[in-house]
Amino acid sequence: AQKITQTQPGMFVQEKEAVTLDCTYDTSDQSYGLFWYKQPSSGEMIFLIYQGSYDEQNATEGRYSLNFQKARKSANLVISASQLGDSAMYFCAARTGNQFYFGTGTSLTVIP
Amino acid sequence: NAGVTQTPKFQVLKTGQSMTLQCAQDMNHNSMYWYRQDPGMGLRLIYYSASEGTTDKGEVPNGYNVSRLNKREFSLRLESAAPSQTSVYFCASSEMTGFVSPLHFGNGTRLTVT
Protein backbone atom coordinates (compact mmCIF):
# COMPACT_ATOMS: atom_id res chain seq x y z
CA ALA A 1 0.00 0.00 0.00
CA GLN A 2 1.05 3.56 -0.56
CA LYS A 3 1.40 6.08 2.22
CA ILE A 4 0.39 9.65 1.46
CA THR A 5 1.52 12.31 3.91
CA GLN A 6 0.11 15.79 4.22
CA THR A 7 1.91 17.43 7.10
CA GLN A 8 -0.06 20.68 7.23
CA PRO A 9 -3.39 20.15 9.01
CA GLY A 10 -4.30 23.80 8.54
CA MET A 11 -3.03 26.67 6.43
CA PHE A 12 -3.94 30.34 6.14
CA VAL A 13 -3.30 32.57 3.15
CA GLN A 14 -4.10 36.16 2.34
CA GLU A 15 -6.46 36.72 -0.54
CA LYS A 16 -4.59 37.17 -3.86
CA GLU A 17 -1.44 35.55 -2.48
CA ALA A 18 -0.06 32.17 -3.58
CA VAL A 19 -0.01 29.14 -1.28
CA THR A 20 1.68 25.75 -1.41
CA LEU A 21 0.11 22.65 0.09
CA ASP A 22 2.56 19.86 0.77
CA CYS A 23 2.21 16.20 -0.15
CA THR A 24 4.69 13.36 -0.06
CA TYR A 25 4.09 9.82 -1.17
CA ASP A 26 5.80 6.53 -0.67
CA THR A 27 5.69 3.95 -3.45
CA SER A 28 8.05 1.52 -5.09
CA ASP A 29 5.93 1.38 -8.24
CA GLN A 30 7.33 2.98 -11.37
CA SER A 31 3.93 3.85 -12.81
CA TYR A 32 1.60 5.94 -10.72
CA GLY A 33 -0.62 8.97 -10.83
CA LEU A 34 -0.85 11.83 -8.36
CA PHE A 35 -4.03 13.81 -7.81
CA TRP A 36 -5.39 16.70 -5.81
CA TYR A 37 -8.98 17.08 -4.72
CA LYS A 38 -10.83 19.98 -3.12
CA GLN A 39 -13.58 19.44 -0.59
CA PRO A 40 -15.53 22.61 0.24
CA SER A 41 -17.73 22.83 3.30
CA SER A 42 -20.65 21.55 1.22
CA GLY A 43 -18.88 18.19 1.22
CA GLU A 44 -18.42 17.18 -2.41
CA MET A 45 -15.04 16.02 -3.69
CA ILE A 46 -13.83 18.05 -6.64
CA PHE A 47 -10.97 16.81 -8.82
CA LEU A 48 -8.42 19.59 -9.43
CA ILE A 49 -5.28 18.32 -11.13
CA TYR A 50 -3.21 15.24 -11.84
CA GLN A 51 0.37 14.32 -12.63
CA GLY A 52 1.62 11.06 -14.12
CA SER A 53 4.85 9.56 -12.87
CA TYR A 54 6.38 9.72 -16.35
CA ASP A 55 5.40 13.33 -16.96
CA GLU A 56 8.49 15.51 -17.08
CA GLN A 57 6.68 18.81 -16.90
CA ASN A 58 4.65 19.97 -13.93
CA ALA A 59 0.92 19.88 -14.49
CA THR A 60 -1.07 23.12 -14.53
CA GLU A 61 -4.81 23.79 -14.56
CA GLY A 62 -5.72 27.44 -14.40
CA ARG A 63 -4.60 28.76 -10.99
CA TYR A 64 -3.53 25.29 -9.85
CA SER A 65 -0.14 23.80 -10.50
CA LEU A 66 1.45 20.63 -9.22
CA ASN A 67 5.09 20.89 -8.19
CA PHE A 68 6.28 17.35 -8.91
CA GLN A 69 9.67 16.36 -7.54
CA LYS A 70 10.04 12.69 -8.31
CA ALA A 71 13.33 12.08 -6.52
CA ARG A 72 11.92 13.59 -3.33
CA LYS A 73 8.57 11.84 -3.84
CA SER A 74 6.70 15.07 -3.40
CA ALA A 75 3.67 16.43 -5.25
CA ASN A 76 2.87 19.83 -3.80
CA LEU A 77 -0.17 21.81 -4.92
CA VAL A 78 0.39 25.48 -5.65
CA ILE A 79 -2.64 27.77 -5.78
CA SER A 80 -1.89 31.17 -7.24
CA ALA A 81 -3.88 34.35 -6.61
CA SER A 82 -5.97 32.81 -3.81
CA GLN A 83 -9.66 33.59 -3.72
CA LEU A 84 -12.14 33.37 -0.85
CA GLY A 85 -13.76 30.43 -2.62
CA ASP A 86 -10.54 28.47 -2.29
CA SER A 87 -11.22 27.97 1.43
CA ALA A 88 -11.71 24.21 1.71
CA MET A 89 -10.07 20.90 2.60
CA TYR A 90 -7.53 19.69 0.08
CA PHE A 91 -6.61 16.05 -0.34
CA CYS A 92 -3.62 14.59 -2.10
CA ALA A 93 -4.03 11.12 -3.59
CA ALA A 94 -1.94 8.58 -5.46
CA ARG A 95 -3.00 5.83 -7.80
CA THR A 96 -1.19 2.59 -8.52
CA GLY A 97 -3.06 0.07 -10.59
CA ASN A 98 -6.71 0.27 -9.59
CA GLN A 99 -6.09 1.49 -6.07
CA PHE A 100 -6.19 5.07 -4.85
CA TYR A 101 -4.62 6.22 -1.59
CA PHE A 102 -5.43 9.47 0.16
CA GLY A 103 -3.70 11.74 2.62
CA THR A 104 -5.47 13.13 5.67
CA GLY A 105 -5.96 16.52 4.09
CA THR A 106 -5.05 20.16 4.64
CA SER A 107 -7.61 22.74 5.62
CA LEU A 108 -7.00 26.00 3.75
CA THR A 109 -8.50 29.28 4.91
CA VAL A 110 -8.25 32.33 2.69
CA ILE A 111 -8.27 35.58 4.65
CA PRO A 112 -9.79 38.69 3.04
CA ASN B 1 -24.59 14.69 -17.30
CA ALA B 2 -25.19 13.17 -13.85
CA GLY B 3 -21.76 11.54 -13.29
CA VAL B 4 -21.89 9.52 -10.05
CA THR B 5 -25.20 9.49 -8.20
CA GLN B 6 -25.52 8.30 -4.60
CA THR B 7 -28.62 7.79 -2.54
CA PRO B 8 -29.63 8.63 0.11
CA LYS B 9 -27.90 11.87 1.08
CA PHE B 10 -28.62 11.47 4.77
CA GLN B 11 -29.60 8.51 6.92
CA VAL B 12 -30.04 7.86 10.61
CA LEU B 13 -30.06 4.26 11.79
CA LYS B 14 -30.40 2.59 15.14
CA THR B 15 -27.76 0.07 16.18
CA GLY B 16 -28.49 -3.28 14.56
CA GLN B 17 -30.56 -1.95 11.69
CA SER B 18 -29.55 -2.64 8.11
CA MET B 19 -29.46 -0.48 5.03
CA THR B 20 -28.12 -0.31 1.51
CA LEU B 21 -26.40 2.68 -0.03
CA GLN B 22 -26.99 2.91 -3.74
CA CYS B 23 -24.54 4.22 -6.33
CA ALA B 24 -24.78 4.56 -10.08
CA GLN B 25 -22.48 6.10 -12.68
CA ASP B 26 -23.19 7.04 -16.25
CA MET B 27 -19.62 7.51 -17.47
CA ASN B 28 -19.15 3.91 -18.64
CA HIS B 29 -16.37 3.39 -16.11
CA ASN B 30 -15.20 -0.09 -15.30
CA SER B 31 -13.96 0.56 -11.75
CA MET B 32 -16.13 1.61 -8.83
CA TYR B 33 -15.27 2.27 -5.20
CA TRP B 34 -16.76 2.85 -1.77
CA TYR B 35 -14.89 5.05 0.69
CA ARG B 36 -15.67 6.29 4.15
CA GLN B 37 -14.48 9.64 5.45
CA ASP B 38 -13.93 10.28 9.12
CA PRO B 39 -12.48 13.45 10.68
CA GLY B 40 -8.68 13.47 10.62
CA MET B 41 -8.44 10.19 8.75
CA GLY B 42 -8.89 11.14 5.13
CA LEU B 43 -10.70 8.69 2.90
CA ARG B 44 -10.42 4.99 3.56
CA LEU B 45 -11.33 2.36 1.01
CA ILE B 46 -14.04 -0.07 2.05
CA TYR B 47 -14.49 -2.12 -1.12
CA TYR B 48 -13.84 -1.69 -4.78
CA SER B 49 -14.85 -3.35 -8.01
CA ALA B 50 -12.32 -3.30 -10.81
CA SER B 51 -14.87 -4.48 -13.33
CA GLU B 52 -18.36 -5.89 -13.54
CA GLY B 53 -18.52 -9.19 -11.70
CA THR B 54 -15.54 -8.60 -9.41
CA THR B 55 -15.24 -7.07 -5.97
CA ASP B 56 -12.30 -6.76 -3.60
CA LYS B 57 -11.81 -5.71 -0.02
CA GLY B 58 -10.15 -2.45 0.78
CA GLU B 59 -8.63 -1.15 3.98
CA VAL B 60 -11.76 -1.26 6.18
CA PRO B 61 -14.22 -3.91 4.87
CA ASN B 62 -15.47 -5.33 8.17
CA GLY B 63 -19.18 -4.84 8.69
CA TYR B 64 -19.90 -4.13 5.02
CA ASN B 65 -20.89 -6.04 1.93
CA VAL B 66 -21.06 -4.88 -1.67
CA SER B 67 -22.76 -5.87 -4.88
CA ARG B 68 -21.71 -4.88 -8.38
CA LEU B 69 -25.15 -5.21 -9.90
CA ASN B 70 -24.02 -4.28 -13.41
CA LYS B 71 -21.49 -1.95 -14.96
CA ARG B 72 -23.38 1.13 -13.79
CA GLU B 73 -24.34 0.21 -10.23
CA PHE B 74 -22.37 -0.63 -7.10
CA SER B 75 -24.19 -0.88 -3.78
CA LEU B 76 -22.89 -0.96 -0.22
CA ARG B 77 -24.80 -2.82 2.49
CA LEU B 78 -24.57 -2.54 6.23
CA GLU B 79 -26.14 -5.69 7.64
CA SER B 80 -26.13 -4.69 11.30
CA ALA B 81 -25.17 -1.07 11.79
CA ALA B 82 -22.88 -0.05 14.64
CA PRO B 83 -22.08 3.42 16.01
CA SER B 84 -18.52 3.01 14.66
CA GLN B 85 -20.02 3.10 11.19
CA THR B 86 -21.17 6.67 11.65
CA SER B 87 -19.35 8.39 8.81
CA VAL B 88 -19.66 10.05 5.44
CA TYR B 89 -19.68 7.51 2.63
CA PHE B 90 -18.52 8.27 -0.87
CA CYS B 91 -18.99 6.24 -3.99
CA ALA B 92 -16.57 6.87 -6.83
CA SER B 93 -15.72 5.55 -10.26
CA SER B 94 -12.75 5.63 -12.59
CA GLU B 95 -11.46 4.37 -15.87
CA MET B 96 -9.72 1.07 -15.28
CA THR B 97 -6.91 1.67 -17.70
CA GLY B 98 -4.38 4.40 -17.18
CA PHE B 99 -2.95 5.39 -13.84
CA VAL B 100 -3.64 9.04 -14.58
CA SER B 101 -7.39 8.59 -14.71
CA PRO B 102 -8.90 10.29 -11.65
CA LEU B 103 -11.65 9.21 -9.33
CA HIS B 104 -15.03 10.81 -9.92
CA PHE B 105 -17.03 11.08 -6.72
CA GLY B 106 -20.67 11.11 -5.82
CA ASN B 107 -21.91 13.75 -3.40
CA GLY B 108 -21.70 11.49 -0.37
CA THR B 109 -24.06 9.95 2.17
CA ARG B 110 -23.95 11.17 5.75
CA LEU B 111 -24.81 8.21 7.97
CA THR B 112 -25.43 8.42 11.69
CA VAL B 113 -25.85 5.26 13.77
CA THR B 114 -27.29 5.81 17.24
Side-chain angles (χ1 to χ4, degrees), chain B residues 11-21 63-64 77-86 89 111-114:
Chain B
Q11 185 71 49
V12 179
L13 292 177
K14 291 187 182 340
T15 297
Q17 287 185 318
S18 63
M19 79 161 295
T20 299
L21 282 65
Y64 305 95
R77 182 159 178 85
L78 287 70
E79 290 291 353
S80 178
S84 60
Q85 294 178 305
T86 293
Y89 292 85
L111 175 67
T112 302
V113 183
T114 61

Side-chain angles (χ1 to χ4, degrees), chain B residues 8-105:
Chain B
K9 290 187 176 181
F10 301 94
Q11 185 71 49
V12 179
L13 292 177
K14 291 187 182 340
T15 297
Q17 287 185 318
S18 63
M19 79 161 295
T20 299
L21 282 65
Q22 306 285 355
C23 176
Q25 52 91 10
D26 63 2
M27 294 175 284
N28 202 35
H29 287 164
N30 285 302
S31 298
M32 297 186 74
Y33 305 78
W34 278 104
Y35 287 89
R36 60 177 287 172
Q37 183 180 26
D38 301 293
M41 302 192 75
L43 283 87
R44 293 183 293 169
L45 182 64
I46 305 171
Y47 271 93
Y48 72 101
S49 171
S51 60
E52 188 178 352
T54 69
T55 60
D56 287 285
K57 294 179 180 179
E59 181 184 356
V60 289
N62 291 344
Y64 305 95
N65 285 302
V66 290
S67 295
R68 184 74 183 266
L69 303 170
N70 47 55
K71 190 172 185 178
R72 289 188 64 246
E73 298 172 288
F74 188 39
S75 62
L76 178 72
R77 182 159 178 85
L78 287 70
E79 290 291 353
S80 178
S84 60
Q85 294 178 305
T86 293
S87 188
V88 179
Y89 292 85
F90 285 98
C91 177
S93 70
S94 180
E95 293 285 349
M96 189 172 73
T97 55
F99 53 85
V100 293
S101 298
L103 276 174
H104 299 264
F105 285 90

Side-chain angles (χ1 to χ4, degrees), chain A residues 32 37 39 95 98-100, chain B residues 33 37 94-95 101 103:
Chain A
Y32 52 89
Y37 288 84
Q39 187 178 40
R95 175 178 185 170
N98 278 323
Q99 297 256 25
F100 290 80
Chain B
Y33 305 78
Q37 183 180 26
S94 180
E95 293 285 349
S101 298
L103 276 174

Side-chain angles (χ1 to χ4, degrees), chain A residues 1-74:
Chain A
Q2 285 220 32
K3 182 174 170 59
I4 310 300
T5 303
Q6 295 181 254
T7 58
Q8 306 152 313
M11 291 280 286
F12 292 86
V13 64
Q14 206 75 36
E15 194 178 5
K16 299 180 186 176
E17 297 291 313
V19 63
T20 297
L21 306 184
D22 294 340
C23 173
T24 58
Y25 58 95
D26 182 14
T27 180
S28 56
D29 287 48
Q30 296 300 308
S31 302
Y32 52 89
L34 300 160
F35 305 86
W36 279 91
Y37 288 84
K38 173 183 179 181
Q39 187 178 40
S41 58
S42 51
E44 70 268 33
M45 295 288 287
I46 302 166
F47 164 62
L48 295 177
I49 193 168
Y50 79 84
Q51 179 91 35
S53 57
Y54 296 113
D55 294 340
E56 294 186 351
Q57 288 197 320
N58 288 339
T60 60
E61 286 288 345
R63 294 185 299 110
Y64 304 109
S65 60
L66 201 155
N67 184 359
F68 179 45
Q69 297 188 43
K70 194 170 183 176
R72 298 179 63 182
K73 295 190 175 181
S74 74

